[in-house]
Amino acid sequence: MIDIPEPVADLHDALITWFERNKADLPWRRTRDPYAIWLSEIMLQQTQVATVIAYYERFLARFPTVGALAAAPLDDVLKLWEGLGYYSRARNLHRAAQVIVEQHGGDFPASVDGLRALPGIGDYTAGAVASLAFGIDAPVLDGNVIRILARLFDIADDVTQTGTKQALWDLARRLVPVGRAGPWNEGLMELGRVICTPRSPSCAACPIATFCRARERNTQEQRPVKKRRARTPHYDVAAGVIHRDDSRFLIAQRRPDSMLGGLWEFPGGKREPGESLRECLQREIREELGIRIAVGDQIGTIRHGYTHFRITLYVFTCRYVSGDPQAIEVADWAWVTLDDLERYAFPVTDQKIIALLRDGGGQLGMDLI
């Protein structure tokens, strides 16, 4: 067990006092509404504060209550989330809102266990909402807090290992000041965001520097310890802007249980070994939608990185040849015009394809073979 220095109250006072004096004025800090706090915590996962603010305000304006979110079609939720990424967050948010309405009468569960039982809510989010909205003495542990604790207590163990994570959760629980979990947790979040940063931490400005064992031992740049990441795999992907004679083109909706589930895309897929990009595209369209196409000119190359892999997306104009579209490996499909696209939610890569179409005035299909 990691030992905590006494008196720990001095550590609590130093961080909370600094936070109250220096905290950034963020919209979710102006409320104790569990719905608004929950929304902010979900949006802030894997996303920078500066990016989240505009999305957060638009989302609350459109869905001001958990009931409004629960009643909305998932397509509307995904469209409003468009560009924020990690779309499983939006799907879980929508489903959790429905559970809150259906099983809790529209009231958020006021306990860590009750919150933890909701779709998409893990230990960190449950602790954050419980402490910030309900004043419950619950800990939080995310990447920022792990980094702070690893430096504060000069933890030399690999923080990605299960045993170390369990020890850090135990430490976080023991550190929570009775009756002050909210400001303590927010103080940790703020400290990790602006002072105890991953690289070149501002130790001279840190309000708890005198308690920091890593700073005392000059090991702060070496903490936290993490195993080296494996090389990120790369895939070639082909997508088609498939036109038919009336100038409409085909889009497909990804299955709800797939990556980017529920979003629409220009159909295509990953190139298999030994395939040309054009062969890949013809095969994917046949397997996903049951139609034959003629592949024309390449109109763009888009590079994009996801959490665990990278892709190079090659975009081709295509001509519909034969067959009735079917939802074989997709959730749905539609023939659309360029103006129709505003009604559909697309991932970032496909938004770039739309930009290519708009720059070309929607006439790219005229160049087909």
Side-chain angles (χ1 to χ4, degrees):
M1 180 181 292
I2 301 167
D3 65 294
I4 298 175
E6 295 293 343
V8 70
D10 292 346
L11 172 63
H12 295 150
D13 289 343
L15 181 64
I16 292 172
T17 299
W18 169 83
F19 172 69
E20 294 295 347
R21 291 175 178 171
N22 297 278
K23 61 184 177 183
D25 181 21
L26 301 173
W28 45 87
R29 287 182 176 160
R30 304 169 197 158
T31 179
R32 285 296 172 255
D33 175 10
Y35 171 60
I37 291 171
W38 168 57
L39 174 63
S40 72
E41 290 297 336
I42 298 298
M43 285 189 166
L44 286 164
Q45 294 171 8
Q46 306 290 332
T47 309
Q48 295 293 322
V49 168
T51 301
V52 165
I53 292 174
Y55 279 93
Y56 172 85
E57 292 177 337
R58 283 197 298 268
F59 204 95
L60 278 183
R62 178 73 175 276
F63 308 121
T65 65
V66 70
L69 175 57
L74 177 59
D75 284 349
D76 290 357
V77 177
L78 291 173
K79 182 63 179 177
L80 204 58
W81 200 272
E82 189 179 54
L84 197 56
Y86 299 93
Y87 290 89
S88 62
R89 296 181 296 172
R91 295 193 298 273
N92 284 329
L93 199 76
H94 185 247
R95 180 58 190 144
Q98 293 176 331
V99 171
I100 291 167
V101 169
E102 293 166 3
Q103 299 181 15
H104 301 278
D107 295 325
F108 268 75
S111 70
V112 173
D113 288 343
L115 291 163
R116 184 68 181 82
L118 296 172
I121 294 189
D123 292 331
Y124 167 81
T125 304
V129 176
S131 61
L132 301 180
F134 299 112
I136 296 170
D137 290 333
V140 295
L141 190 74
D142 66 350
N144 279 333
V145 179
I146 287 173
R147 184 168 62 254
I148 292 168
L149 296 184
R151 288 171 174 165
L152 191 59
F153 296 92
D154 196 31
I155 297 171
D157 297 322
D158 183 349
V159 299
T160 67
Q161 297 301 307
T162 300
T164 310
K165 285 185 178 179
Q166 291 174 344
L168 286 166
W169 269 112
D170 175 70
L171 177 60
R173 289 187 189 94
R174 291 187 290 124
L175 279 171
V176 172
V178 176
R180 297 199 291 171
W184 168 256
N185 287 339
E186 282 198 290
L188 288 171
M189 298 173 198
E190 188 79 345
L191 189 74
R193 188 175 73 88
V194 300
I195 299 291
C196 197
T197 51
R199 296 179 181 83
S200 302
S202 303
C203 296
C206 180
I208 57 174
T210 57
F211 302 90
C212 184
R213 295 172 185 170
R215 182 174 185 261
E216 178 185 350
R217 300 165 187 171
N218 199 33
T219 58
Q220 61 268 47
E221 292 282 5
Q222 301 163 33
R223 304 290 183 260
V225 175
K226 296 181 181 180
K227 64 181 178 183
R228 184 172 296 179
R229 289 185 177 181
R231 185 176 180 180
T232 304
H234 173 271
Y235 304 107
D236 287 333
V237 178
V241 181
I242 304 169
H243 287 263
R244 64 182 189 185
D245 292 340
D246 62 0
S247 297
R248 292 178 180 267
F249 47 86
L250 189 64
I251 59 173
Q253 187 179 36
R254 297 180 67 90
R255 288 179 171 175
D257 58 351
S258 67
M259 180 181 170
L260 304 174
L263 297 183
W264 292 79
E265 66 180 1
F266 294 89
K270 185 171 67 174
R271 176 163 63 174
E272 299 293 344
E275 273 186 329
S276 70
L277 289 167
R278 286 175 167 79
E279 290 169 341
C280 161
L281 191 52
Q282 289 175 321
R283 173 186 56 77
E284 287 284 348
I285 299 305
R286 184 174 63 252
E287 293 175 352
E288 292 182 357
L289 292 153
I291 62 173
R292 291 181 60 243
I293 60 169
V295 182
D297 296 334
Q298 181 181 335
I299 60 172
T301 303
I302 298 167
R303 294 173 178 83
H304 188 71
Y306 296 95
T307 304
H308 301 298
F309 64 93
R310 295 177 296 106
I311 68 167
T312 301
L313 175 63
Y314 301 89
V315 187
F316 294 86
T317 55
C318 301
R319 176 169 51 83
Y320 166 73
V321 175
S322 64
D324 295 323
Q326 306 168 55
I328 300 173
E329 293 186 3
V330 298
D332 201 358
W333 55 271
W335 290 104
V336 297
T337 66
L338 200 56
D339 291 338
D340 292 334
L341 297 180
E342 293 297 328
R343 304 200 306 266
Y344 299 88
F346 291 89
V348 170
T349 50
D350 293 79
Q351 291 176 40
K352 292 179 180 179
I353 297 175
I354 293 171
L356 286 173
L357 293 175
R358 295 195 189 284
D359 287 345
Q363 299 301 311
L364 293 170
M366 303 301 293
D367 299 326
L368 294 175
I369 58 173

